[in-house]
mmCIF file of all heavy atoms in Angstrom:
data_model
loop_
_atom_site.group_PDB
_atom_site.id
_atom_site.type_symbol
_atom_site.label_atom_id
_atom_site.label_comp_id
_atom_site.label_asym_id
_atom_site.label_seq_id
_atom_site.Cartn_x
_atom_site.Cartn_y
_atom_site.Cartn_z
ATOM 1 N N GLY A 219 19.840 25.442 -49.392
ATOM 2 C CA GLY A 219 18.630 25.772 -48.660
ATOM 3 C C GLY A 219 18.279 27.231 -48.891
ATOM 4 O O GLY A 219 19.159 28.075 -49.059
ATOM 5 N N ILE A 220 16.984 27.507 -48.947
ATOM 6 C CA ILE A 220 16.544 28.892 -49.052
ATOM 7 C C ILE A 220 15.504 29.157 -47.975
ATOM 8 O O ILE A 220 14.813 28.253 -47.523
ATOM 9 C CB ILE A 220 15.956 29.236 -50.442
ATOM 10 C CG1 ILE A 220 14.684 28.427 -50.725
ATOM 11 C CG2 ILE A 220 16.977 29.028 -51.537
ATOM 12 C CD1 ILE A 220 13.893 28.923 -51.899
ATOM 13 N N CYS A 221 15.431 30.387 -47.563
ATOM 14 C CA CYS A 221 14.431 30.802 -46.592
ATOM 15 C C CYS A 221 13.562 31.866 -47.254
ATOM 16 O O CYS A 221 14.080 32.821 -47.831
ATOM 17 C CB CYS A 221 15.111 31.364 -45.344
ATOM 18 S SG CYS A 221 13.937 31.831 -44.064
ATOM 19 N N VAL A 222 12.265 31.673 -47.196
ATOM 20 C CA VAL A 222 11.321 32.613 -47.783
ATOM 21 C C VAL A 222 10.563 33.278 -46.645
ATOM 22 O O VAL A 222 10.001 32.603 -45.790
ATOM 23 C CB VAL A 222 10.329 31.895 -48.733
ATOM 24 C CG1 VAL A 222 9.337 32.876 -49.313
ATOM 25 C CG2 VAL A 222 11.076 31.150 -49.819
ATOM 26 N N PHE A 223 10.563 34.578 -46.646
ATOM 27 C CA PHE A 223 9.901 35.369 -45.612
ATOM 28 C C PHE A 223 8.851 36.224 -46.284
ATOM 29 O O PHE A 223 9.150 36.991 -47.194
ATOM 30 C CB PHE A 223 10.937 36.242 -44.892
ATOM 31 C CG PHE A 223 10.357 37.184 -43.885
ATOM 32 C CD1 PHE A 223 9.860 36.717 -42.685
ATOM 33 C CD2 PHE A 223 10.319 38.542 -44.132
ATOM 34 C CE1 PHE A 223 9.328 37.581 -41.746
ATOM 35 C CE2 PHE A 223 9.791 39.418 -43.205
ATOM 36 C CZ PHE A 223 9.299 38.939 -42.011
ATOM 37 N N ASP A 224 7.602 36.059 -45.894
ATOM 38 C CA ASP A 224 6.505 36.827 -46.488
ATOM 39 C C ASP A 224 6.269 38.067 -45.638
ATOM 40 O O ASP A 224 5.546 38.040 -44.653
ATOM 41 C CB ASP A 224 5.248 35.962 -46.557
ATOM 42 C CG ASP A 224 4.163 36.564 -47.428
ATOM 43 O OD1 ASP A 224 4.240 37.773 -47.731
ATOM 44 O OD2 ASP A 224 3.239 35.834 -47.806
ATOM 45 N N SER A 225 6.902 39.157 -46.010
ATOM 46 C CA SER A 225 6.816 40.384 -45.209
ATOM 47 C C SER A 225 5.501 41.127 -45.402
ATOM 48 O O SER A 225 5.197 42.037 -44.639
ATOM 49 C CB SER A 225 7.986 41.314 -45.544
ATOM 50 O OG SER A 225 7.922 41.702 -46.903
ATOM 51 N N SER A 226 4.711 40.722 -46.383
ATOM 52 C CA SER A 226 3.453 41.436 -46.628
ATOM 53 C C SER A 226 2.346 41.023 -45.664
ATOM 54 O O SER A 226 1.349 41.712 -45.541
ATOM 55 C CB SER A 226 2.979 41.205 -48.060
ATOM 56 O OG SER A 226 2.617 39.852 -48.240
ATOM 57 N N LYS A 227 2.529 39.902 -45.014
ATOM 58 C CA LYS A 227 1.507 39.390 -44.098
ATOM 59 C C LYS A 227 2.107 39.221 -42.718
ATOM 60 O O LYS A 227 3.233 38.775 -42.568
ATOM 61 C CB LYS A 227 0.965 38.036 -44.582
ATOM 62 C CG LYS A 227 0.470 38.031 -46.007
ATOM 63 C CD LYS A 227 -0.769 38.854 -46.180
ATOM 64 C CE LYS A 227 -1.224 38.803 -47.626
ATOM 65 N NZ LYS A 227 -2.303 39.683 -47.904
ATOM 66 N N LYS A 228 1.371 39.540 -41.702
ATOM 67 C CA LYS A 228 1.859 39.447 -40.327
ATOM 68 C C LYS A 228 1.040 38.435 -39.537
ATOM 69 O O LYS A 228 -0.167 38.319 -39.708
ATOM 70 C CB LYS A 228 1.772 40.805 -39.617
ATOM 71 C CG LYS A 228 2.582 41.889 -40.283
ATOM 72 C CD LYS A 228 4.055 41.610 -40.176
ATOM 73 C CE LYS A 228 4.857 42.728 -40.804
ATOM 74 N NZ LYS A 228 6.150 42.326 -41.232
ATOM 75 N N VAL A 229 1.724 37.726 -38.658
ATOM 76 C CA VAL A 229 1.066 36.799 -37.748
ATOM 77 C C VAL A 229 0.557 37.613 -36.564
ATOM 78 O O VAL A 229 1.282 38.414 -35.990
ATOM 79 C CB VAL A 229 2.048 35.727 -37.242
ATOM 80 C CG1 VAL A 229 1.373 34.794 -36.256
ATOM 81 C CG2 VAL A 229 2.651 34.967 -38.402
ATOM 82 N N THR A 230 -0.705 37.418 -36.226
ATOM 83 C CA THR A 230 -1.263 38.064 -35.035
ATOM 84 C C THR A 230 -1.873 36.981 -34.163
ATOM 85 O O THR A 230 -1.996 35.829 -34.571
ATOM 86 C CB THR A 230 -2.346 39.100 -35.400
ATOM 87 O OG1 THR A 230 -3.479 38.410 -35.946
ATOM 88 C CG2 THR A 230 -1.833 40.126 -36.402
ATOM 89 N N ARG A 231 -2.282 37.345 -32.961
ATOM 90 C CA ARG A 231 -2.909 36.360 -32.072
ATOM 91 C C ARG A 231 -4.235 35.844 -32.639
ATOM 92 O O ARG A 231 -4.646 34.738 -32.338
ATOM 93 C CB ARG A 231 -3.151 36.976 -30.695
ATOM 94 C CG ARG A 231 -1.879 37.214 -29.930
ATOM 95 C CD ARG A 231 -2.226 37.663 -28.503
ATOM 96 N NE ARG A 231 -1.065 38.106 -27.787
ATOM 97 C CZ ARG A 231 -0.274 37.307 -27.086
ATOM 98 N NH1 ARG A 231 -0.536 36.030 -27.001
ATOM 99 N NH2 ARG A 231 0.780 37.792 -26.473
ATOM 100 N N SER A 232 -4.895 36.633 -33.451
ATOM 101 C CA SER A 232 -6.215 36.242 -33.930
ATOM 102 C C SER A 232 -6.236 35.757 -35.378
ATOM 103 O O SER A 232 -7.253 35.253 -35.837
ATOM 104 C CB SER A 232 -7.191 37.406 -33.778
ATOM 105 O OG SER A 232 -6.749 38.501 -34.554
ATOM 106 N N SER A 233 -5.129 35.907 -36.114
ATOM 107 C CA SER A 233 -5.168 35.473 -37.507
ATOM 108 C C SER A 233 -3.804 35.007 -37.999
ATOM 109 O O SER A 233 -2.766 35.447 -37.517
ATOM 110 C CB SER A 233 -5.662 36.614 -38.406
ATOM 111 O OG SER A 233 -4.686 37.639 -38.470
ATOM 112 N N MET A 234 -3.865 34.107 -38.947
ATOM 113 C CA MET A 234 -2.662 33.605 -39.604
ATOM 114 C C MET A 234 -2.557 34.309 -40.954
ATOM 115 O O MET A 234 -3.572 34.641 -41.568
ATOM 116 C CB MET A 234 -2.787 32.103 -39.833
ATOM 117 C CG MET A 234 -2.860 31.286 -38.565
ATOM 118 S SD MET A 234 -1.329 31.300 -37.647
ATOM 119 C CE MET A 234 -0.311 30.313 -38.708
ATOM 120 N N PRO A 235 -1.342 34.514 -41.457
ATOM 121 C CA PRO A 235 -1.188 35.154 -42.760
ATOM 122 C C PRO A 235 -1.697 34.244 -43.873
ATOM 123 O O PRO A 235 -1.673 33.024 -43.755
ATOM 124 C CB PRO A 235 0.312 35.377 -42.875
ATOM 125 C CG PRO A 235 0.944 34.489 -41.878
ATOM 126 C CD PRO A 235 -0.071 34.216 -40.817
ATOM 127 N N ARG A 236 -2.175 34.821 -44.927
ATOM 128 C CA ARG A 236 -2.649 34.070 -46.087
ATOM 129 C C ARG A 236 -1.984 34.622 -47.338
ATOM 130 O O ARG A 236 -2.627 35.005 -48.294
ATOM 131 C CB ARG A 236 -4.188 34.146 -46.198
ATOM 132 C CG ARG A 236 -4.931 33.477 -45.051
ATOM 133 C CD ARG A 236 -4.756 31.981 -45.108
ATOM 134 N NE ARG A 236 -5.556 31.289 -44.126
ATOM 135 C CZ ARG A 236 -5.067 30.642 -43.090
ATOM 136 N NH1 ARG A 236 -3.776 30.619 -42.861
ATOM 137 N NH2 ARG A 236 -5.856 30.010 -42.264
ATOM 138 N N GLY A 237 -0.643 34.645 -47.324
ATOM 139 C CA GLY A 237 0.127 35.175 -48.445
ATOM 140 C C GLY A 237 0.786 34.071 -49.245
ATOM 141 O O GLY A 237 0.268 32.961 -49.362
ATOM 142 N N GLU A 238 1.961 34.387 -49.790
ATOM 143 C CA GLU A 238 2.676 33.462 -50.662
ATOM 144 C C GLU A 238 3.136 32.189 -49.943
ATOM 145 O O GLU A 238 3.084 31.107 -50.511
ATOM 146 C CB GLU A 238 3.879 34.167 -51.291
ATOM 147 C CG GLU A 238 3.513 35.324 -52.206
ATOM 148 C CD GLU A 238 2.713 34.886 -53.420
ATOM 149 O OE1 GLU A 238 2.991 33.800 -53.970
ATOM 150 O OE2 GLU A 238 1.811 35.640 -53.814
ATOM 151 N N VAL A 239 3.598 32.303 -48.716
ATOM 152 C CA VAL A 239 4.052 31.117 -47.986
ATOM 153 C C VAL A 239 2.863 30.191 -47.709
ATOM 154 O O VAL A 239 2.955 28.978 -47.878
ATOM 155 C CB VAL A 239 4.792 31.509 -46.682
ATOM 156 C CG1 VAL A 239 5.108 30.279 -45.844
ATOM 157 C CG2 VAL A 239 6.071 32.270 -47.013
ATOM 158 N N TYR A 240 1.745 30.765 -47.313
ATOM 159 C CA TYR A 240 0.519 29.981 -47.120
ATOM 160 C C TYR A 240 0.151 29.265 -48.427
ATOM 161 O O TYR A 240 -0.160 28.070 -48.435
ATOM 162 C CB TYR A 240 -0.628 30.893 -46.674
ATOM 163 C CG TYR A 240 -1.994 30.288 -46.846
ATOM 164 C CD1 TYR A 240 -2.499 29.389 -45.922
ATOM 165 C CD2 TYR A 240 -2.795 30.627 -47.942
ATOM 166 C CE1 TYR A 240 -3.755 28.822 -46.083
ATOM 167 C CE2 TYR A 240 -4.052 30.073 -48.104
ATOM 168 C CZ TYR A 240 -4.526 29.170 -47.180
ATOM 169 O OH TYR A 240 -5.768 28.612 -47.342
ATOM 170 N N GLY A 241 0.190 29.993 -49.527
ATOM 171 C CA GLY A 241 -0.139 29.399 -50.825
ATOM 172 C C GLY A 241 0.788 28.244 -51.166
ATOM 173 O O GLY A 241 0.360 27.216 -51.693
#
Side-chain angles (χ1 to χ4, degrees):
I220 64 167
C221 183
V222 179
F223 175 72
D224 193 344
S225 62
S226 67
K227 307 292 180 187
K228 300 293 182 204
V229 178
T230 67
R231 290 187 189 272
S232 61
S233 70
M234 296 292 289
R236 295 291 186 248
E238 296 297 323
V239 173
Y240 163 80

